[in-house]
Amino acid sequence: MRVQEYRRYDAREESRLTGSDRDAWRAQRDLLHQAVVVRLPRHWSRAERGRAAAHQGDPRIGAALRAGERFGVAEVLAAGPELLAAWENAWAPGANPRGAAVVAAAVDCRRAGLRRPVSRAWLRELHAPYLEARGGGDLQPEPFAEAMDWACAAAYATSGLLIGNFGAGFTAFDYLLNAPGNGPVPDHLWRGLLPLVEPADAYDMGLVAHQEGRLARAVEALGLASRGGVPGAELPLAIAIGDSGKPRRAAADLAGIAHRRAGRLGPRHPDTLAARHQLAFFVGESGNHRAAAAQFAELLVDVAEVLGPDHPDTLAARHQLAYFTGEGGDHRAAAGQLDLLLADRLRVQGAGHPQVLATRRSLIWFRSGEPASAEAELGRLLAEAEAAEGIGPDDPHTLAVRSSMAALAARAGRTAEAAEAWAELTADRTRVLGEDHPHVFYSRLEWARALLARDRAPEAAAVLTGALARAESVLEPGHRHLRTARELLARTADRAPTAD
């Protein structure tokens, strides 16, 4: 099972589902939890290569040994490297460039969240922008029928780049989904695919877009699913709207959802509790931290009784209660709550779980102590997160640790270090999340603040002007990032040099 698929069953994903989808997700997760997880490294160890050498008469094992350290055993046995190389080489003029474009479209359909096979007609329509981006007619592309034949041809009697047939549709070979150099799914694929799919497909696409931080796409796809009558789509749609920079609108929508679910299912039904959790969160994100903490305290009683003290929803509610308690000004109480939560998370979820990382970061932030000690702890936490399998340097939790480290550097007066850290974080968050994500706006604002602290007002103004113009088209009126941007921009004008 690919790591990317396994991560779909992380506890963070449950709150985005509801109704039958949530039940199915839980059943699948429970099944996975019964299994013994064996993580297979992609590459053979020295000892494994030594043992394999005794059997290199088998052409597949021999090919794996000749591949050296570049590929892993499963990839070679499935002809993955050969198929990837064939795809890359097919872009050459006069080779199979149209076939390569067809494969690219099929790969990105899967990466966009489409679970079912893609029809031949869809591939005919969706592949064209890929071909044009590589040179179009200058590549001397083959006819479409020939391109499909080439893409479906099996390598070493295992699999082709596309799997399927005319009647059932076509699916891209798994190995290609994580090929090196795959960037974000391009807009032309997303724009071309979304009008073709059914509302249930749009629901899946919206969940994947949300998981990847592509919030505008998530709102668009989940809105289509909700209007198409997909059961439960209204909840993840409201969450995506809030995450995209409209927390007050999300809170209003979630209040209605929670009320309707309470009337239909009861106030303590798990689906109602999920809506109440999200409502409390966006009340806090709207700026009312104490009200959010009060709502989470009330919710926690019901969640613990209904689902149990060790359930992921219970632990999540405890985390948010502590977070908004701290944001409301009571750092000591927040640190005490997080200290107890961390012990329970470690017992239930284990040291390598992303939510343990999040709890440790919040505890460091709210716990009183020497700034140097906090920075050292965050440094160790960052190193662990970047090295952890399933987390890594681009995970939102890892980026959040870097945000805390940059904030502490600014608080300590190391403005040059802070400005550099915020600039780097802004670039990385833009690459991972897209330029319209609220986390990107926040990083850009703090970058400008650090530049102002260094008396570099013109540079700060340049950072702010572009950010503010874009933020005004994305964030809801009165959003705290907009207020901060305008305040900082006014300060840059006050410090601007005057003519003699």
Side-chain angles (χ1 to χ4, degrees):
M1 187 177 191
R2 294 189 305 125
V3 171
Q4 287 75 12
E5 292 297 323
Y6 187 76
R7 289 189 67 190
R8 288 174 65 100
Y9 298 94
D10 187 285
R12 291 175 293 179
E13 305 309 312
E14 185 169 12
S15 64
R16 297 171 181 163
L17 304 172
T18 187
S20 60
D21 289 299
R22 187 181 176 99
D23 293 340
W25 182 93
R26 283 174 168 167
Q28 293 159 0
R29 179 199 59 190
D30 291 345
L31 177 63
L32 285 176
H33 283 183
Q34 294 178 42
V36 176
V37 177
V38 179
R39 297 189 180 274
L40 296 177
R42 293 178 64 242
H43 299 103
W44 288 353
S45 67
R46 183 183 298 273
E48 287 170 330
R49 292 178 63 81
R51 292 194 298 271
H55 304 279
Q56 58 185 321
D58 184 305
R60 297 169 300 171
I61 295 177
L65 287 169
R66 289 191 298 274
E69 295 301 316
R70 185 179 178 191
F71 301 110
V73 56
E75 299 160 76
V76 174
L77 295 181
E82 286 79 7
L83 289 169
L84 179 58
W87 183 25
E88 293 172 343
N89 294 336
W91 288 107
N96 294 97
R98 191 181 300 278
V102 167
V103 172
V107 166
D108 282 345
C109 283
R110 287 197 61 186
R111 293 173 61 223
L114 186 67
R115 295 184 181 183
R116 61 187 175 94
V118 187
S119 71
R120 185 184 179 98
W122 286 14
L123 290 175
R124 182 188 292 274
E125 179 178 343
L126 295 171
H127 86 278
Y130 291 93
L131 186 62
E132 288 301 315
R134 290 290 192 117
D138 292 341
L139 298 177
Q140 305 167 42
E142 72 278 28
F144 182 74
E146 184 179 326
M148 291 296 299
D149 290 341
W150 171 83
C152 294
Y156 299 106
T158 54
S159 174
L161 291 159
L162 297 184
I163 302 165
N165 54 59
F166 183 87
F170 300 89
T171 302
F173 180 54
D174 267 0
Y175 178 69
L176 306 178
L177 305 187
N178 304 115
N182 277 347
V185 173
D187 283 339
H188 64 73
L189 185 283
W190 180 267
R191 296 294 172 203
L193 180 61
L194 192 59
L196 300 175
V197 301
E198 297 295 325
D201 300 319
Y203 181 81
D204 290 336
M205 292 172 63
L207 293 181
V208 170
H210 197 174
Q211 185 181 37
E212 295 179 349
R214 302 291 168 170
L215 300 177
R217 290 181 178 181
V219 170
E220 185 177 10
L222 291 168
L224 178 61
S226 182
R227 293 190 298 273
V230 175
E234 61 180 1
L235 179 67
L237 172 59
I239 298 170
I241 288 171
D243 286 346
S244 67
K246 300 176 176 62
R248 291 199 305 277
R249 177 183 163 188
D253 291 347
L254 286 159
I257 294 170
H259 178 75
R260 290 191 294 275
R261 290 187 176 185
R264 187 174 71 252
L265 304 170
R268 288 157 58 93
H269 188 279
D271 286 353
T272 306
L273 297 176
R276 289 172 57 192
H277 180 114
Q278 297 299 336
L279 170 59
F281 176 77
F282 285 111
V283 166
E285 286 292 284
S286 300
N288 200 335
H289 300 142
R290 293 183 180 178
Q295 289 186 31
F296 273 114
E298 182 180 344
L299 172 68
L300 185 55
V301 175
D302 291 339
V303 173
E305 289 183 3
V306 173
L307 301 177
D310 292 341
H311 191 277
D313 287 4
T314 306
L315 299 176
R318 289 175 61 188
H319 189 123
Q320 297 300 347
L321 170 60
Y323 173 76
F324 286 114
T325 297
E327 289 296 294
D330 195 344
H331 288 199
R332 176 175 294 184
Q337 293 166 6
L338 288 164
D339 204 22
L340 295 174
L341 175 61
L342 179 59
D344 288 336
R345 281 204 186 278
L346 287 168
R347 174 178 55 82
V348 175
Q349 296 170 313
H353 196 280
Q355 293 301 325
V356 171
L357 175 72
T359 301
R360 288 172 61 191
R361 182 181 74 89
S362 294
L363 178 57
I364 294 167
W365 184 255
F366 288 122
R367 186 171 53 203
S368 59
E370 290 294 324
S373 174
E375 290 187 73
E377 287 187 75
L378 284 172
R380 290 191 292 270
L381 188 59
L382 178 62
E384 290 179 32
E386 290 180 333
E389 187 173 357
I391 301 179
D394 287 343
D395 189 273
H397 288 303
T398 307
L399 298 175
V401 175
R402 289 174 56 191
S403 177
S404 296
M405 294 180 69
L408 284 180
R411 185 181 297 178
R414 301 195 306 275
T415 55
E417 177 185 334
E420 182 178 1
W422 285 119
E424 292 175 354
L425 183 58
T426 299
D428 287 338
R429 277 181 163 165
T430 301
R431 173 177 54 81
V432 174
L433 302 173
E435 59 184 341
D436 289 341
H437 197 288
H439 291 176
V440 175
F441 292 136
Y442 174 75
S443 298
R444 194 173 292 277
L445 294 177
E446 294 305 311
W447 178 17
R449 193 192 303 276
L451 289 170
L452 270 172
R454 300 198 66 215
D455 291 324
R456 293 165 61 177
E459 293 174 61
V463 169
L464 288 167
T465 301
L468 181 57
R470 193 156 191 98
E472 286 176 331
S473 68
V474 175
L475 306 179
E476 66 187 2
H479 193 283
R480 64 184 187 279
H481 291 348
L482 294 177
R483 296 196 304 270
T484 301
R486 293 181 183 120
E487 290 167 4
L488 291 173
L489 196 57
R491 287 170 54 190
T492 65
D494 293 339
R495 297 190 188 185
T498 57
D500 292 337

